[in-house]
Every structure is written in C-alpha cells, then in structure tokens.
Amino acid sequence: MTLNSLQKVNKAPMSEHPEDPIYPVPARLLDPAQCPKPYISSLEQYQQLYRQSIDDPSTFFGKLATELLSWSKPFHTVKHGGLDHGDIAWFLEGQLNASYNCVDRHALADPNKIAIIYEADEPNQSENITYGELLRQVSQLAGALRARGIKKGDTVAIYMPMIPEAVVALLACARIGAMHSVVFAGFSAEALRDRVQDASSRLVLTSDQGKRGGKTIETKKIVDEALKNCPSVETVIVCQRTGADVPMKAGRDYWWGDECGKRTNYLSPEPMHSEDPLFILYTSGSTGQPKGVMHTTAGYLLGAAATVKYVFDYHPGDIFACMADVGWITGHTYIVYGPLALGATTVLFESIPTYPTPSRYWELVAKHKVTQFYTAPTAIRALRRLGDEWVEGHDLSSLRVLGTVGEPINPEAWHWYYDKVGKGRCAVVDTFWQTETGSHIVTPLPGAIPTKPGSATLPFFGIELAVLDPVSGKELEGNNVTGVLAVKKAWPSIARTVYNNHQRYLETYLKPYPGYYFTGDGATRDKDGYIWIRGRVDDVINVSGHRLSTAEIESALIMHNTVAEAAVIGANDDVTGQCIHAFVCLKPGVSCHSTDLNKELVLQVRKVIGPFAAPKKVYLVEDLPKTRSGKLMRRILRKIVAGESDSLGDISTLADPAVVATLIAKVANS
Ligand code: 6R9
C-alpha cells in the first residue's frame, strides 16, 4: 500500500470556532422527570467502565455478551488471537443465531410490538410490521431460500430498495446461516456483477423496481444486465415493489410472494458458531478492486447491540430512526441488527430528505415520535442551506439523541443540528467508525461525554486508540498530536477477513503498522485527549459519506475508448464534503474540446460504478503530473484544484515540471 500520509494528514485545526466552549451533557437528559436515566450518566462512570473494558476485556465483554445476546450454547472463552496474526476470535465455543436474536426472542415476548416502521417514498404510505409478522416473513423467506438449495455457508446477493422485504432478506439469510452480500441499489449493473462474481453468490434477492424521491428505479433490469455474466447465480427471487411488468427468466426468476407463500410460517433458526460468517459487504480501498469485508456472528452482533444501547442510549419504547441505506454498513448495523437485537422499533426510510419537501425528515420525526435520529453531515449541510423554515414548526420534542456518521462534521453543520433540530435539548453524537469496525469506535455517549463540535470525542468500550507517526509508525504519546489513527487491540465487532483474500486483509489493515489495526484515517488528539478525525490518508474519496477509491473511478474512465489515462482526486465541497474531479488524457487523435465527451465520461463512471460516483468536474488534459519513475502525483492535482498552486511543494521530481503550469491554466479556465 502506498501511503501519502504525511502530506495528507491535515494539520490545520478543524474547528473554525476555536473559542467554542465544550458542550456539557444537556441538562434535560439527566432530569428523570424528562428523560429515562442514561445508562452511562457521568464522565467518571464512562472512564471507569472504559478502564475495565481495556484492563479486563474478557470479563467486560463476557458479561455484556451474556446480557445483550441469547445463546443456544454458552461460550466459555471470551477472546482469542489478535492483531499480530490476524486470527481474531471472540466467544469461541458459543452458538447463537442472529435472526433469533433480532426477531424470535422479541416476537415470543410480545408479538404485537412494532419492529419496523416503513416510511415509504410517498409520505402517506407508511406501514408498521410487528415482531410476530417479521418472524413469519423471515421464516417464509428462509424456507424459500432453503427450498432453492441455499444452505449454511452459501452467499446470497441482495440488491433491493429500502422496503421491509430488504430487512427480511438479511434476516432470512442469517436464519439459515447463509452469508448475505448486500449491494447498494445505487450501484450499476457492472458494479453489481463484479460483487456477485467475487462472492460467488448463488441466489439474488431483488425487486421489480424501486421508488426514491418520486422517481422509479429499474432494479430488476439492472439485475438482468448484471447477471449476463454471473454463472454462479442459479436463482433470482423478485419482490414486487411497484407491480410493474418486468421480464422473468424461466427457470431462474421467481416471484417472492409465490416462493414465500408455499413455506411454513415458522422455520427454526440454524445454530451458528460465534465465528461463523454473518455477511460480507464490499467497500472501497486503495486499489480498484473492492474488498468483501467479512463479519462474523457473535462479535458483530454484540458491537451492534452494545452501541445502540450505550451510544444512542436506547431505552425500551424508544423509536429509533437511522436514515442510511441498508446497502451500507450503517444500514446493516443501525437499521437492522443493532436496533432489532435490542427489540427496538426501527424506522426504514425509503425516500430522500427533500421529498416531497425539505421538511421530510422533521415530519417523519414528529409523525413517529422518533427518539434517536441518525444521519450524515452531507444531509445536514444540504438541509441547513435550504433554510430554517423547513425545520421550524414541527414537533421534535420526542428527540433525545442526534447522531451523525460518514465523514467529519464541520462545526457550522454541528451547531445547526444541535440548535435547530435539537433545540439545545438533545445530545449530538458524532460517531466515527467504518465498514471494517462493524460498529462505533470513537463517539460521545449522550449522558456522559461533553462534546466539542467537530470532534468524535473519546473511544467506545474496548477500543484502545493510538495516534501513530505516519512515517515511523511510532506511537505519538500524550495530547496535542496529529498522525494516523490506529487501534491497539482487537474488539468484538472488528471484521475478521476479506472474503477469499485473507492476505489482503492482513496487508490493508494489520501490516501497515504491525501490531495495530490501521483505520486509513488521519486524526488529532487535542489537548483534552479528544479525537478529531481528519479524513482518509489513502486514496479513498468520501462523497456524501460514500467511500470511493480513486483507482476504481480511474479504471472506469480508462474503459472508455477515447481515454488513455486518468487521475482522480477529491476536492472540497460545501454539501457533499468531498467531490470528484477527474483529469483525463485522451488517446492521440481524439479531440479534447468536445463538451459532449465530458458528459460521456461522466456517464461512463455512472455506468461502471453508479450515479453516486459521478465526477463533478472532468478536465481533458494533454498530460498528467508524473514522477520520472512514472508515479502519478495526485497531490499536485489536489493542490491545484484547491487553489493552492503557490504551495505545490517539491515538483523537481516530476518528469516534466512544465505540465504544472498547463494544468493550473486548465483548472482556472474551466
Ligand atoms: C460508517 C461508515 C468509513 C470512513 C472512515 C472515515 C469516514 C465515518 C466518520 C468519518 C469523520 C465521522 N467517517 N464516520 N469521518 N467523522 N464520524 O461511514 O463506514 O462507509 O466504511 O466509511 O468514513 O473516513 O474511514 P464506511
């Protein structure tokens, strides 16, 4: 892996309000007349428990796993292995089933309790699904999967819109011990194909179409296109979202309703070992090839449940609303597994924050009396821009905890969230974590940890952080240090491997700094020991909280028949955090002045990866800045786009330093 860490760790203070006070825990949260008592209600209590979790993880997590999860066979050994050898294992002899934990035990206790509030694309179409109903639906689909030959250890791809059946799909796989591999339904046919092939998925769960923000998405058509080249797929089960007439391939495609209708309403869950895989989820890294990050059953589920309990301070009766898509890790952990493991009511939101108006989120909160609300800074920034009038006049008094995730939150957006949405009465939790960490690793606890706008604050239980010098790998002790963020010991929900490529797991996460888990993010530990995440130090771009690799976008561009070479960088963007700028060199003889070609290249990326990866700007250029050994210097492009051409640093190693002036002119004129 090549790390540009030194240049990329942004040492400038993040907060534009250095005089900002520390925000104490809102008094309302600690007032028993107004709110349930937070599980962790003082900084001292957090510190004491945190110490225990680090000094004696076996006792701490052994107790938590017994309290929060139901086991069909108890574990005896809490932890084994670690970061040195990449042989991490937790709760070794134990057996449990994730769908039992997320459905059965709550359905048995109270079948009428609402598990899912489905807030459909059109606001008047919401629907409630009880735990009893969820158990029937999960059992039926699990039975249908089995009847189609899916067994423990097989992979099932899920490419679905945000409808209740998507949640049922994850849980049905978990019920029979099949690994799910959810592919975000914004990915293109080609991206879906690559992920289906990599995981050798045997069956695909999908829908006829999708609905989002009033638009129709041709989900099944995309699946058909993808499956032209996926010999491992024997069966496709299609759920009806719109009832559209979609082509069904005889002998391969079956209707969800027909398949489930034939099955019994109860199917017993497959007992799974703690370390049996639960799912794979693809994420972008430094190379063009996405990684199938694999999570196992017990540790992941414990991380999910424990963070919903402590970070969101979930209490029985709360209504939990995470606005992410189930296609990303945030949806897996905080729409499905975490809330359902605790028997919560979870909101499944099919639409977008601005449909039909920018009040949609706040109408949803008022309508369902949401207590915990979780979204991304990009949504907060976009809504803030549209004006306060959209948030005013809605009854948001049910809210206690406001979460953010996906990228650093700038203080302006934090303040708006805290003041306008939370009315100063709610805790804002800026939760830092990753697909690979499974659940939050640096985050405030609402009743205990005072916050600073823009800081993810302090580590969650069991997370021993280190800020490392990016070059020497030495740990930077004490406060007021900036480097790369790493974790010193394995915790229950850390990913165990990259599907079919353990070597890549070791090389990406454990070998860059031996003995540590490397996050790929830069971070500062400030004078009070608070963590400020500085963004990725590898070639990953974060657009609206979506992780994209420069290499992946570049290879999509190069597939276009006019393109000789491409270099992609992340530039700052007021709404999406970062956006993509692409520098493209055309093949000899291709004219570089066509605006149509610009559009075509953007379309090319949409087609190969998906609309969310589309470059905001494409520059057609004669040459790219390269070293004499041919290494692309993206750093120079980043500086030029950021308007920092006067501080390009050493460009003497460039094969042709004259390229720089041409690029500066090109960017200035575009
Ligand atoms: C959960 C999720 C992970 C990357 C991560 C970092 C960025 C996530 C953040 C944050 C600053 C936060 N990130 N949360 N940066 N503050 N609170 O987003 O997973 O899609 O794997 O992305 O997102 O750069 O490394 P994933």
Side-chain angles (χ1 to χ4, degrees):
M1 151 184 278
T2 55
L3 289 178
N4 303 331
S5 318
L6 241 196
Q7 303 99 14
K8 284 194 68 182
V9 177
N10 175 7
K11 296 199 178 193
M14 180 102 165
S15 171
E16 287 169 31
H17 306 279
E19 74 285 4
D20 244 352
I22 294 189
Y23 284 71
V25 171
R28 166 175 164 256
L29 293 194
L30 300 172
D31 175 0
Q34 299 193 60
C35 291
K37 185 173 187 303
Y39 297 106
I40 316 293
S41 54
S42 70
L43 190 58
E44 295 67 41
Q45 191 190 355
Y46 156 75
Q47 282 163 336
Q48 192 204 342
L49 283 169
Y50 175 74
R51 256 298 115 224
Q52 270 178 26
S53 75
I54 300 296
D55 293 345
D56 186 1
S58 291
T59 306
F60 185 89
F61 286 108
K63 185 162 169 273
L64 206 57
T66 313
E67 274 169 22
L68 296 182
L69 304 180
S70 298
W71 299 81
S72 53
K73 186 164 168 267
F75 57 88
H76 299 291
T77 312
V78 174
K79 62 191 281 282
H80 170 78
L83 300 175
D84 291 329
H85 300 284
D87 54 351
I88 302 155
W90 286 81
F91 313 112
L92 275 62
E93 307 81 359
Q95 285 187 11
L96 76 173
N97 180 287
S99 103
Y100 178 88
N101 273 273
C102 291
V103 189
D104 302 44
R105 56 179 182 158
H106 315 300
L108 301 178
D110 180 2
N112 296 322
K113 163 124 202 218
I114 294 167
I116 300 171
I117 297 176
Y118 164 49
E119 173 74 25
D121 196 38
E122 297 302 329
N124 55 357
Q125 293 177 356
S126 61
E127 219 176 277
N128 292 342
I129 290 129
T130 63
Y131 273 98
E133 179 57 25
L134 186 61
L135 179 55
R136 286 189 286 279
Q137 290 194 22
V138 169
S139 289
Q140 287 179 342
L141 183 63
L145 293 174
R146 269 217 184 125
R148 292 283 163 203
I150 301 299
K151 34 180 213 320
K152 182 172 170 177
D154 287 342
T155 313
V156 172
I158 300 177
Y159 187 78
M160 290 184 71
M162 290 283 288
I163 53 177
E165 286 84 352
V167 179
V168 171
L170 271 70
L171 295 166
C173 291
R175 195 160 191 88
I176 60 169
M179 283 180 279
H180 54 74
S181 167
V182 182
V183 179
F184 171 57
F187 274 114
S188 68
E190 292 179 33
L192 172 62
R193 176 201 62 201
D194 292 348
R195 286 155 179 78
V196 167
Q197 283 178 348
D198 186 79
S200 306
S201 294
R202 295 189 55 204
L203 187 146
V204 179
L205 294 170
T206 189
S207 68
D208 49 2
Q209 295 180 317
K211 282 292 201 184
R212 206 163 166 266
K215 296 203 179 96
T216 302
I217 297 144
E218 297 293 342
T219 315
K220 173 67 164 53
K221 278 200 187 133
I222 298 171
V223 170
D224 286 340
E225 184 62 33
L227 295 190
K228 283 183 184 157
N229 265 311
C230 295
S232 62
V233 175
E234 298 147 27
T235 311
V236 178
I237 300 183
V238 187
C239 176
Q240 287 183 296
R241 165 63 181 87
T242 62
D245 188 14
V246 294
M248 296 289 277
K249 189 171 168 188
R252 187 196 71 180
D253 300 353
Y254 303 93
W255 293 113
W256 190 291
D258 295 346
E259 291 297 287
C260 290
K262 296 182 216 157
R263 306 294 146 206
T264 55
N265 284 345
Y266 177 80
L267 179 116
S268 52
E270 178 90 29
M272 302 294 286
H273 289 281
S274 295
E275 285 298 328
D276 282 339
L278 180 61
F279 65 83
I280 42 189
L281 184 59
Y282 285 86
T283 190
S284 298
S286 295
T287 71
Q289 182 67 24
K291 293 186 286 272
V293 169
M294 183 197 278
H295 282 284
T296 56
T297 307
Y300 169 79
L301 201 58
L302 181 65
T307 47
V308 170
K309 176 165 177 178
Y310 294 110
V311 177
F312 288 108
D313 199 47
Y314 169 80
H315 285 260
D318 283 351
I319 309 290
F320 190 89
C322 166
M323 296 293 102
D325 191 286
V326 281
W328 305 113
I329 191 69
T330 305
H332 280 56
T333 307
Y334 297 107
I335 295 174
V336 184
Y337 287 109
L340 296 180
L342 296 184
T345 298
T346 188
V347 175
L348 185 75
F349 180 50
E350 190 180 27
S351 198
I352 56 172
T354 48
Y355 184 78
T357 75
S359 285
R360 185 66 191 271
Y361 271 178
W362 322 124
E363 282 163 4
L364 175 155
V365 168
K367 177 158 118 192
H368 303 298
K369 302 209 174 354
V370 168
T371 41
Q372 288 87 358
F373 184 80
Y374 197 24
T375 191
T378 184
I380 299 168
R381 285 193 296 266
L383 293 172
R384 174 177 176 265
R385 267 194 164 188
L386 293 170
D388 298 350
E389 65 269 28
W390 297 106
V391 65
E392 282 157 7
H394 299 280
D395 179 7
L396 306 181
S397 59
S398 54
L399 289 170
R400 296 203 313 272
V401 183
L402 300 172
T404 82
V405 59
E407 46 173 326
I409 181 163
N410 47 312
E412 291 73 17
W414 193 100
H415 280 286
W416 189 82
Y417 204 29
Y418 183 82
D419 292 330
K420 301 290 177 214
V421 180
K423 324 278 184 214
R425 307 156 69 247
C426 298
V428 169
V429 291
D430 173 0
T431 61
F432 169 78
W433 62 295
Q434 309 174 297
T435 305
E436 296 86 343
T437 70
S439 53
H440 305 145
I441 64 165
V442 188
T443 175
L445 300 182
I449 300 181
T451 45
K452 300 185 190 187
S455 166
T457 74
L458 299 173
F460 188 66
F461 302 134
I463 305 292
E464 202 169 351
L465 294 175
V467 178
L468 307 179
D469 179 289
V471 175
S472 69
K474 280 224 172 66
E475 205 172 320
L476 301 170
E477 307 280 351
N479 290 340
N480 278 324
V481 290
T482 292
V484 293
L485 189 67
V487 186
K488 288 201 226 184
K489 286 201 189 97
W491 62 99
S493 70
I494 183 177
R496 301 296 194 262
T497 193
V498 168
Y499 183 69
N500 260 345
N501 201 343
H502 196 59
Q503 206 51 36
R504 190 156 176 218
Y505 172 83
L506 299 175
E507 272 158 23
T508 311
Y509 307 112
L510 306 187
K511 285 196 181 151
Y513 300 103
Y516 297 91
Y517 166 79
F518 173 50
T519 60
D521 282 285
T524 296
R525 188 165 48 227
D526 76 5
K527 64 178 181 10
D528 301 314
Y530 273 39
I531 298 293
W532 299 72
I533 305 294
R534 302 296 186 200
R536 302 289 306 196
V537 296
D538 51 10
D539 292 322
V540 170
I541 305 180
N542 190 327
V543 182
S544 299
H546 299 324
R547 251 167 92 168
L548 295 158
S549 93
T550 51
E552 227 174 320
I553 303 168
E554 285 162 6
S555 67
L557 287 165
I558 288 166
M559 283 181 217
H560 193 273
N561 59 14
T562 62
V563 176
E565 253 188 310
V568 160
I569 56 143
N572 288 338
D573 186 279
D574 284 350
V575 173
T576 58
Q578 285 190 297
C579 64
I580 294 159
H581 285 223
F583 291 79
V584 175
C585 286
L586 299 174
K587 286 181 183 160
V590 183
S591 158
C592 161
H593 300 292
S594 147
T595 42
D596 284 352
L597 185 55
N598 269 29
K599 279 193 205 136
E600 221 180 280
L601 293 173
V602 172
L603 269 177
Q604 169 78 7
V605 179
R606 294 173 69 101
K607 185 166 140 302
V608 178
I609 303 173
F612 62 95
K616 190 165 180 183
K617 277 249 161 101
V618 177
Y619 310 96
L620 303 178
V621 297
E622 305 286 339
D623 211 350
L624 294 169
K626 290 204 198 131
T627 61
R628 269 171 242 137
S629 57
K631 194 175 169 326
L632 190 64
M633 294 189 78
R634 291 195 189 79
R635 167 177 67 87
I636 291 181
L637 298 174
R638 271 195 296 270
K639 288 262 182 191
I640 293 175
V641 167
E644 296 167 9
S645 310
D646 51 347
S647 59
L648 291 180
D650 183 11
I651 57 166
S652 63
T653 54
L654 285 180
D656 177 12
V659 167
V660 171
T662 326
L663 289 169
I664 293 174
K666 184 90 199 179
V667 170
N669 294 331
S670 72

